[in-house]
Amino acid sequence: MDNFATEPLIRPYPCFLSKKGKPRIFESSLKLFIIQFIFDVVCYYFFMWVVLWRFQEFKISYVYMSIFSGFIMALVFVIRIMVNKKRLGIINSKRFSLQKKPR
């Protein structure tokens, strides 16, 4: 079995409080989901407000759409990480190699 991961999985998740972080593949799935969910909701709402919603009056459905899209995008993100964990057979960090795959 190939124990190699792609570059996006090895890259640490952006962290604003510390400069050092664990690779995404070793992070807790729940932690990644919550961080990604909040980030996606804020980004979606801000982008839609800049492009469309500022020209219309406020509706609560805008907030619901942001929450729904943030939930779906965060869920896809975490499922992708979990599938790769299963594919690589990662239970803990000791069985995993961070070496690049030879070409």
Side-chain angles (χ1 to χ4, degrees), residues 85-100:
K85 277 185 182 182
K86 185 175 180 183
R87 178 180 63 87
L88 295 169
I90 295 177
I91 297 169
N92 58 24
S93 60
K94 292 178 185 173
R95 292 183 51 203
F96 186 70
S97 172
L98 292 177
Q99 299 171 357
K100 292 196 175 192

Side-chain angles (χ1 to χ4, degrees), residues 12 20-21 23 35 53 78:
K20 213 169 152 184
I35 292 171
W53 296 340
V78 169

